[in-house]
Amino acid sequence: MAVPKKKTSKSKKGMRRSHDHVAVPNVILCKCGEATLPHRICPSCGEYRGLQLLKKADAE
Amino acid sequence: MRHKIAGRKLGRTTPHRKAMFRNMARSLVTYERIRTTEPKAKEVRKVVDRLVTLALQNTLHARREAYRVLENHQLVKKLFDEIGPRFTGVPGGFTRVVKLGLPRPGDCAPLAVLEFTRAATGTAPEPKAKKAKPAPVSATAPAKVEPAAAPAPVEPAAAPAVVEPAEEPKAE
């Protein structure tokens, strides 16, 4: 069975993990001032492109 | 290989999928606006746009074709008498899918709202409609708005909740 000859050093481990990260969402600011995602109904005001699509209470 | 075959399978068998699309089309005709996952919304468009096209033909044959999908005479009547006339002269684009900001809790599924582009009032609400409406609607609507909802000033636009029956459009 193939087995690693050497223990992976902290440095190598760190280098491998240097690309492990959570994607940062592309947040924009809605007209209502809240942060929201582009091309989506704003969760806080329920609006998108001037259309009121959700009740404010229902906005999630 | 299924290259270039249109449509999503959505992890369902064919009869399951067809039944689901019919159910969703019925819901959309009933409530005018439904909230569902984004891929489902995009698929149901096909079914509903075809129904609206049938409504525009407005023939007996078209009614029977629509009944094959809706299987409900009230819904066919509503489709042809209420929804169809809104789109006279419109060549397409009867429905609109708008993505919701937050995914569904539980499975993180991307959600969207599927609705008719022309609301019961006649045309699609313009960007200013929301700000223009509060005063007139708050004066007339409280009786119609379900009591559980917040007082009318807080909920000005004629925007029924996504999952609730569109009471206002029916009343008008």
Side-chain angles (χ1 to χ4, degrees):
Chain A
M1 193 173 94
V3 170
K5 191 170 187 176
K6 292 287 182 189
K7 172 177 178 176
T8 305
S9 68
K10 291 175 190 171
S11 165
K12 278 291 170 192
K13 189 166 66 184
M15 282 193 255
R16 183 175 65 239
R17 292 180 183 171
S18 68
H19 295 290
D20 297 356
H21 52 76
V22 177
V24 179
N26 182 21
V27 174
I28 60 165
L29 286 179
C30 173
K31 271 190 283 183
C32 69
E34 290 293 322
T36 182
L37 291 172
H39 308 121
R40 278 164 181 80
I41 302 171
C42 172
S44 56
C45 64
E47 235 184 287
Y48 177 65
R49 292 190 124 192
L51 296 166
Q52 180 73 36
L53 289 154
L54 297 178
K55 279 185 179 179
K56 271 190 184 163
D58 263 23
E60 0 165 88
Chain B
M1 291 185 285
R2 62 165 302 283
H3 290 179
K4 298 184 95 174
I5 298 175
R8 297 166 175 82
K9 292 189 174 180
L10 295 172
R12 285 158 174 83
T13 60
T14 305
H16 184 181
R17 188 167 52 241
K18 285 169 89 171
M20 183 183 70
F21 287 156
R22 288 158 69 128
N23 280 331
M24 293 176 78
R26 284 169 203 146
S27 296
L28 184 64
V29 172
T30 310
Y31 301 122
E32 309 263 328
R33 169 182 295 175
I34 58 176
R35 187 183 71 173
T36 178
T37 66
E38 186 189 327
K40 279 189 207 163
K42 289 187 172 180
E43 285 299 309
V44 177
R45 282 186 304 190
K46 293 184 188 179
V47 182
V48 176
D49 278 350
R50 185 163 175 271
L51 285 177
V52 178
T53 309
L54 288 172
L56 289 177
Q57 292 170 7
N58 201 12
T59 59
L60 180 60
H61 181 59
R63 271 179 191 268
R64 285 172 177 168
E65 292 270 288
Y67 182 78
R68 286 180 63 194
V69 177
L70 297 174
E71 288 192 340
N72 180 317
H73 289 296
Q74 279 90 43
L75 287 184
V76 173
K77 190 172 187 316
K78 184 181 180 197
L79 175 71
F80 278 68
D81 297 349
E82 291 180 36
I83 296 167
R86 292 181 215 160
F87 292 102
T88 44
V90 182
F94 307 128
T95 52
R96 171 191 296 134
V97 174
V98 191
K99 294 172 210 168
L100 278 161
L102 292 182
R104 183 160 59 194
D107 65 355
C108 208
L111 295 177
V113 170
L114 175 65
E115 64 177 4
F116 289 111
T117 45
R118 303 223 168 164
T121 47
T123 54
E126 293 301 317
K128 286 180 183 174
K130 184 204 157 212
K131 285 174 187 171
K133 276 188 180 178
V137 174
S138 62
T140 57
K144 283 190 274 182
V145 174
E146 52 276 19
V154 187
E155 171 44 35
V162 183
V163 290
E164 294 176 42
E167 292 188 3
E168 280 188 285
K170 273 185 204 163
E172 286 168 354

